[in-house]
């Protein structure tokens, strides 16, 4: 599996995912602002990977803030700036807040700023390491519920590239292949930035996992004609009732799956749940520049006068979701009750 990021000599090295699959290039981030840019322009993307990158960004911010008279105040401003990079992915805010809260607590205990930064670094490394463990646990639970001879449709990229390694939705697919249950993966290309074609198909091919690329508009027909028997996708934010925000196009896939009586699963760690939100109606949806859908690469593909609507995400209502695969197991309806149990279980660790 290709490496998404690494922490090396006090610097964050990120794989530039905007260049894949044509070239493999890495970005060296020496301050939190460069990490923020990388998150904003999708050089690093995928909720868990964004969370881990944000954790390391907070370490870099801590180093900078340690030279300021008001260490905590300066760090808080940097935290607030960092989390504006991508408003929908809750892992970004989760990680930034987790490290800031630790810094604030240690500061109240009169620990020196440079010592605090050392503790922040330990926590960031722990978040990175635990993400891979969580993904493998999700893979195990997910593979157990996939049918034999699984023909899986997935959307966008929720693989090793979207995490610190192994993947969420693709972690389930990897685990299914490892136990001999996987027959084929169909990957939506995922317009307008083609994460499904550029990234999902790329990493599955790298790992010799059978994959067929289709356009987004082919998903429903492929379900009808190619024997799709389950759908597994990732998530960027999950509300307390199970409503789930994911890459734009996911909602349509869920509707098509329901029409064809195909189980539709979400794979995401507990850090992707936003327990403060009652439903998907409260999830902020990022809108990106219209130029992304009026051109392909550098070629103009639509009239310049045409208006655009370019939301990055949509929300799939919980009624369409057969189960949410987490590192603790598979959460099923009734979601409000079972997500509360999941929240309590997560608090115990």
């Amino acid at each position: 599996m290709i490496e998404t990021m690494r922490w090396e000599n006090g610097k964050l090295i990120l794989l530039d995912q905007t260049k894949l699959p044509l070239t493999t290039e890495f970005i060296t981030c020496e301050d939190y602002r460069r990490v923020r840019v990388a998150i904003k322009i999708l050089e690093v993307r995928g909720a868990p990977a964004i969370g881990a990158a944000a954790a390391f960004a907070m370490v870099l911010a801590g180093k900078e803030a340690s030279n300021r008279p008001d260490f905590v105040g300066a760090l808080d401003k940097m935290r607030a700036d960092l989390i504006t990079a991508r408003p929908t992915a809750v892992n970004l805010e989760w990680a930034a807040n987790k490290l800031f809260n630790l810094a604030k607590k240690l500061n109240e205990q009169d620990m020196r700023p440079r010592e605090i930064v050392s503790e922040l670094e330990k926590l960031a490394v722990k978040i990175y390491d635990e993400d891979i463990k969580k993904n493998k646990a999700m893979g195990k639970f997910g593979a157990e519920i996939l049918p034999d001879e699984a023909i899986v449709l997935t959307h966008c990229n929720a693989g090793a590239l979207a995490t610190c390694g192994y993947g969420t939705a693709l972690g389930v697919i990897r685990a299914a292949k490892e136990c001999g249950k996987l027959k084929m993966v169909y990957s939506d290309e995922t317009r307008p930035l083609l994460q499904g074609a550029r990234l999902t198909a790329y990493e599955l091919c790298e790992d010799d996992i059978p994959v067929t690329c289709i356009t987004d508009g082919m998903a429903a027909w492929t379900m009808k004609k190619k024997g799709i028997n389950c759908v597994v996708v990732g998530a960027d934010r999950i509300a307390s009732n199970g409503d789930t925000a994911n890459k734009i196009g996911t909602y349509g896939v869920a509707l098509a799956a329901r029409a064809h009586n195909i189980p539709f699963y979400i794979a995401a760690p507990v850090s992707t749940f936003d327990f403060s939100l009652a439903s998907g109606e409260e999830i902020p949806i990022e809108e990106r520049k219209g130029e992304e859908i009026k051109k392909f690469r550098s070629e103009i593909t639509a009239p310049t006068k045409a208006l655009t609507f370019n939301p990055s995400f949509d929300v799939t209502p919980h009624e369409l979701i057969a189960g949410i695969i987490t590192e603790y197991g598979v959460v099923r309806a009734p979601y409000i009750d079972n997500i509360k149990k999941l929240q309590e279980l997560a608090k115990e660790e």
Side-chain angles (χ1 to χ4, degrees):
M1 286 179 288
I2 195 164
E3 190 177 43
T4 309
M5 70 182 76
R6 67 180 182 272
W7 181 251
E8 188 175 273
N9 299 322
K11 299 173 185 178
L12 182 61
I13 314 299
L14 294 172
L15 173 67
D16 185 351
Q17 298 192 35
T18 64
K19 302 292 179 61
L20 293 174
L22 299 179
T23 60
T24 302
E25 296 181 16
F26 289 87
I27 304 155
T28 300
C29 303
E30 299 187 39
D31 60 56
Y32 92 91
R33 295 172 189 82
R34 184 62 185 88
V35 183
R36 183 186 183 281
V37 169
I39 293 171
K40 188 172 181 63
I41 67 174
L42 305 181
E43 289 170 329
V44 60
R45 26 76 46 209
I50 289 173
F56 288 117
M58 287 295 291
V59 179
L60 296 172
K63 289 181 179 180
E64 184 176 333
S66 66
N67 297 317
R68 307 283 179 85
D70 180 9
F71 170 73
V72 171
L75 185 60
D76 192 23
K77 289 180 181 178
M78 296 176 199
R79 177 200 63 82
D81 183 39
L82 178 64
I83 64 178
T84 61
R86 298 293 303 278
T88 302
V90 73
N91 299 62
L92 169 56
E93 186 174 354
W94 169 81
N97 288 344
K98 191 175 182 71
L99 267 76
F100 175 73
N101 290 337
L102 175 61
K104 187 177 178 181
K105 176 184 175 182
L106 296 178
N107 183 72
E108 290 169 353
Q109 297 173 1
D110 294 325
M111 185 178 283
R112 295 178 180 177
R114 293 192 181 279
E115 294 174 335
I116 293 174
V117 172
S118 178
E119 294 302 313
L120 295 182
E121 183 175 7
K122 292 176 184 176
L123 179 54
V125 171
K126 182 180 178 182
I127 288 172
Y128 176 91
D129 290 339
E130 286 188 346
D131 180 65
I132 299 173
K133 292 178 183 177
K134 291 174 183 178
N135 292 343
K136 289 187 175 181
M138 274 184 276
K140 176 180 177 293
F141 288 124
E144 288 174 354
I145 62 173
L146 260 58
D148 292 332
E149 296 287 300
I151 303 175
V152 186
L153 186 141
T154 192
H155 187 75
C156 197
N157 174 261
L161 292 169
T163 64
C164 299
Y166 204 71
T168 55
L170 293 196
V172 172
I173 287 168
R174 282 192 169 89
K177 181 177 185 293
E178 289 165 8
C179 63
K181 295 181 73 173
L182 183 70
K183 185 174 181 180
M184 177 58 69
V185 180
Y186 284 87
S187 179
D188 288 347
E189 64 182 347
T190 322
R191 289 183 178 268
L193 299 180
L194 305 180
Q195 294 98 320
R198 290 190 305 107
L199 305 179
T200 292
Y202 168 74
E203 65 172 275
L204 292 180
C205 286
E206 286 288 300
D207 287 351
D208 294 321
I209 296 174
V211 59
T212 300
C213 288
I214 60 172
T215 68
D216 292 1
M218 296 175 186
W221 191 244
T222 303
M223 289 177 186
K224 183 177 179 67
K225 290 294 185 179
K226 292 296 184 178
I228 305 294
N229 52 24
C230 62
V231 176
V232 185
V233 301
D236 284 85
R237 189 180 298 231
I238 304 173
S240 293
N241 69 341
D243 293 351
T244 298
N246 193 49
K247 185 57 60 185
I248 189 72
T250 303
Y251 178 38
V253 169
L255 289 169
R258 172 59 60 88
H260 291 87
N261 198 30
I262 297 169
F264 176 94
Y265 296 107
I266 301 292
V270 171
S271 58
T272 303
F273 286 77
D274 189 339
F275 301 110
S276 70
L277 301 185
S279 75
E281 292 295 322
E282 300 174 40
I283 298 176
I285 299 299
E286 173 189 351
E287 289 196 32
R288 299 181 64 81
K289 293 181 179 179
E291 285 77 7
E292 289 179 344
I293 56 177
K294 292 171 74 172
K295 65 170 62 173
F296 185 79
R297 300 295 189 187
S298 60
E299 184 176 342
I300 302 298
T301 57
T304 56
K305 291 183 179 180
L307 301 178
T308 58
F309 175 52
N310 189 19
S312 269
F313 305 90
D314 55 28
V315 177
T316 299
H318 63 274
E319 295 92 346
L320 299 178
I321 299 171
I324 303 172
I325 304 162
T326 78
E327 66 268 36
Y328 292 94
V330 181
V331 180
R332 297 184 186 271
Y335 285 110
I336 292 177
D337 293 338
N338 289 331
I339 288 174
K340 281 181 181 178
K341 292 177 183 177
L342 177 68
Q343 183 180 13
E344 292 303 314
L345 191 63
K347 283 180 180 177
E348 294 176 4
E349 295 194 1

